[in-house]
Amino acid sequence: MTQHVVRTRIGQLATIAALALLGGNAWAGSGHSHSRHNDAAHVHGAGELEVVLDGNGLFISLYSPLENVLGFEHSPKTDAEKVKARRVKSLLQANGMFAFSPEAQCKRTSYKLYSDVLNPHSHGPGDDHKHHASEDGHADFRAAYEFECAEPAKLKVIDVRVFRQFSGFEKIEVQALFPTGQIGVSLTPKQSTLVVQ
Ligand SMILES: [Zn+2]
């Protein structure tokens, strides 16, 4: 896991800097951030979170091996696997993944799931298709969330409830860009709160 962090750090910083220049809109499109991610190691139990607060916009992308949420990484075949896949999709899409300081009044405006297994054909025309299931049978996904915060200055904490929703996460490396600066932290099930500094 340590190796994973070291290998992805530089790419993440570059991605976040680029996103800041673009106002974060790249996340709604395709190709920009996940091409970086696919250079990273695929480590079961580990996830990555990119957070950018820009004006009223709050952009959060979760990158993870499918194993962490699904328990397998192939296309669901049995009825049990199909049920599990449906449940995982609704959990990812529901509002339980993140909780914000209520005073900030953040409302979700967009959600997109990029996964060949959970959401086939989720690629845009300009996509690099690099996050297709790999030949060794492993597969990642990206869940991209956008929020609009009426009072972004009052956003003090982001509780990452991903751990609560999915027990497969042991650690999530966070790279966050706030108006006051950039931070990188490791979150765990016991320490799941990202403090906005
Ligand atoms: Zn895997």
Side-chain angles (χ1 to χ4, degrees), residues 6-80:
V6 171
R7 285 173 58 185
T8 60
R9 182 82 57 194
I10 292 166
Q12 281 181 328
L13 298 184
T15 301
I16 285 180
L19 286 170
L21 292 171
L22 293 167
N25 291 331
W27 288 6
S30 60
H32 288 275
S33 49
H34 53 253
S35 57
R36 178 274 314 161
H37 183 72
N38 284 276
D39 297 332
H42 172 104
V43 179
H44 292 182
E48 293 175 44
L49 204 62
E50 291 178 344
V51 179
V52 175
L53 178 61
D54 182 15
N56 295 97
L58 176 63
F59 308 89
I60 301 180
S61 261
L62 172 67
Y63 300 87
S64 163
L66 264 180
E67 170 74 23
N68 297 358
V69 296
L70 200 56
F72 56 90
E73 299 188 328
H74 54 265
S75 294
K77 294 182 182 69
T78 67
D79 285 347

Side-chain angles (χ1 to χ4, degrees), residues 20-185:
L21 292 171
L22 293 167
N25 291 331
W27 288 6
S30 60
H32 288 275
S33 49
H34 53 253
S35 57
R36 178 274 314 161
H37 183 72
N38 284 276
D39 297 332
H42 172 104
V43 179
H44 292 182
E48 293 175 44
L49 204 62
E50 291 178 344
V51 179
V52 175
L53 178 61
D54 182 15
N56 295 97
L58 176 63
F59 308 89
I60 301 180
S61 261
L62 172 67
Y63 300 87
S64 163
L66 264 180
E67 170 74 23
N68 297 358
V69 296
L70 200 56
F72 56 90
E73 299 188 328
H74 54 265
S75 294
K77 294 182 182 69
T78 67
D79 285 347
E81 287 175 347
K82 287 173 185 170
V83 168
K84 184 81 194 288
R86 273 200 296 274
R87 178 173 154 72
V88 164
K89 278 178 76 169
S90 52
L91 279 174
L92 287 171
Q93 184 162 7
N95 275 317
M97 296 284 280
F98 308 98
F100 309 104
S101 310
E103 300 79 16
Q105 301 173 49
C106 300
K107 303 264 185 287
R108 197 168 76 196
T109 54
S110 169
Y111 166 71
K112 183 136 196 208
L113 174 63
Y114 299 87
S115 164
D116 269 7
V117 172
L118 291 175
N119 191 19
H121 314 299
S122 56
H123 305 282
D127 210 317
D128 58 18
H129 282 235
K130 277 186 185 169
H131 54 295
H132 278 199
S134 59
E135 287 169 7
D136 59 3
H138 290 279
D140 296 288
F141 73 94
R142 173 169 73 115
Y145 305 82
E146 293 184 22
F147 303 85
E148 188 89 8
C149 303
E151 300 281 352
K154 295 182 178 173
L155 182 64
K156 301 300 180 195
V157 291
I158 298 174
D159 189 24
V160 179
R161 297 188 171 174
V162 176
F163 294 107
R164 224 183 279 184
Q165 301 290 354
F166 298 104
S167 58
F169 285 94
E170 297 161 21
K171 191 178 194 178
I172 296 179
E173 296 294 333
V174 182
Q175 286 295 318
L177 187 64
F178 297 124
T180 47
Q182 180 179 299
I183 59 167
V185 293

